[in-house]
Amino acid sequence: MPDDLTIRLLKPSAWLKLSRREEKKFLIREIKELELGPQAAMQANRTLKDRHRNRVASHAMIGAQTVQDKHGRPHILLLPENLDQAGLLGDDDYLCKTVGHELVHGTQHEASKGWLFTLQDSFFPHLRRTLNVHWGFLMEGHAIWADRQITTRLLGYEVSLGVNESQASPQYLEALRQVEGREEALQMYLDGARAVSDIVQTHGLESFNRLWADRDLLFVPTFHQAENPSQWCERFSTADASSRS
């Protein structure tokens, strides 16, 4: 866990404003770091606007998020109003899972010294050599696997993903139905969690955790491997053996 971790409670509107402001600052820093010209900056600004439009369209679905600030420090952002609309604010088990899940992201940040968060958020993956890396499969898959370990240890059982439809507001359920690709994304995260479990069982947690500090990205999954998780496990085995030889 990082020594310096901030947890903030935000209204959805405040989360949108904060996300837009911090992402714009991140883009400016990245342009300076990579010494890019006006044309690249213009293209990245279009990407920034697309990201904001997507965030506005789906912001009601966000209950929690872990982000990196301009100083490279992790922040956990919790949105109680959205959790309430999803029927989950009064569910102590789900809140335990949510906080545990985000703390895992904080641990990912600490283990990679923020590097993987920078790569994941980059506006220039072609320059970072990460165009083919499937960050969601890795980061969310690992966090789901780990939060299951947390809730099992604290509560004695896993806590399932999903909305409490019996308690969720009609507006929330309608908005949920409008989110394209939600089921596919959830399945992909669950596939990632299974792949992480397989790698940990085969190689041990210490070997798996080596990927967070690997600047050469030898262990991270590609998009093709996210669609074929067994191939990520095979790649991990090869990379692990090579790095030890």
Side-chain angles (χ1 to χ4, degrees):
M1 284 294 297
D3 294 329
D4 185 9
L5 176 64
T6 300
I7 299 177
R8 301 178 62 181
L9 304 182
L10 295 174
K11 291 181 175 293
S13 58
W15 174 78
L16 278 172
K17 291 178 182 178
L18 175 67
S19 298
R20 186 172 194 177
R21 183 172 68 246
E22 292 300 317
E23 198 162 43
K24 188 171 184 178
K25 291 178 182 177
F26 174 75
L27 172 57
I28 293 170
R29 293 196 304 273
E30 203 173 22
I31 289 171
K32 290 181 179 178
E33 176 194 344
L34 298 175
E35 299 180 343
L36 301 175
Q39 185 174 358
M42 287 177 60
Q43 292 175 341
N45 269 300
R46 287 195 287 269
T47 301
L48 177 68
K49 291 177 182 178
D50 289 340
R51 288 186 183 184
H52 181 66
R53 279 193 292 268
N54 292 336
R55 192 178 294 115
V56 170
S58 61
H59 77 281
M61 304 297 105
I62 304 298
Q65 184 184 41
T66 300
V67 299
Q68 178 176 245
D69 70 12
K70 64 180 180 180
H71 303 294
R73 297 176 302 209
H75 289 241
I76 293 177
L77 311 178
L78 299 175
L79 285 68
E81 287 184 16
N82 284 356
L83 290 169
D84 186 41
Q85 289 294 305
L88 298 168
L89 189 59
D91 187 333
D92 290 345
D93 289 357
Y94 190 87
L95 293 179
C96 176
K97 176 186 180 69
T98 297
V99 173
H101 185 96
E102 298 306 323
L103 288 173
V104 172
H105 285 315
T107 303
Q108 294 169 348
H109 183 280
E110 175 69 10
S112 69
K113 304 304 179 187
W115 175 240
L116 293 189
F117 274 63
T118 296
L119 296 184
Q120 178 181 234
D121 295 339
S122 178
F123 286 87
F124 307 99
H126 57 294
L127 299 180
R128 302 283 193 182
R129 298 182 297 112
T130 59
L131 265 176
N132 199 33
V133 175
H134 202 311
W135 294 113
F137 186 79
L138 170 63
M139 307 292 264
E140 292 302 325
H142 172 254
I144 289 172
W145 172 82
D147 76 45
R148 288 171 174 171
Q149 315 305 308
I150 292 169
T151 56
T152 298
R153 179 167 295 186
L154 293 178
L155 305 174
Y157 48 85
E158 294 180 8
V159 178
S160 63
L161 284 169
V163 177
N164 185 345
E165 294 196 11
S166 66
Q167 299 295 321
S169 70
Q171 296 89 340
Y172 182 90
L173 294 176
E174 178 58 30
L176 192 65
R177 284 189 284 270
Q178 300 300 319
V179 178
E180 295 183 6
R182 176 180 173 273
E183 293 298 327
E184 292 80 0
L186 178 58
Q187 186 58 56
M188 180 265 294
Y189 297 152
L190 294 174
D191 288 345
R194 279 190 288 272
V196 169
S197 179
D198 289 345
I199 291 173
V200 171
Q201 288 179 14
T202 302
H203 298 280
L205 186 57
E206 183 178 349
S207 288
F208 179 84
N209 283 336
R210 294 172 64 202
L211 73 79
W212 305 115
D214 172 33
R215 290 288 181 121
D216 294 322
L217 304 178
L218 298 175
F219 298 92
V220 298
T222 65
F223 277 89
H224 178 74
Q225 290 160 356
E227 295 176 355
N228 304 273
S230 63
Q231 294 187 15
W232 180 37
C233 299
E234 292 172 6
R235 180 186 177 197
F236 192 100
S237 297
T238 301
D240 188 50
S242 297
S243 65
R244 295 179 185 277
S245 61

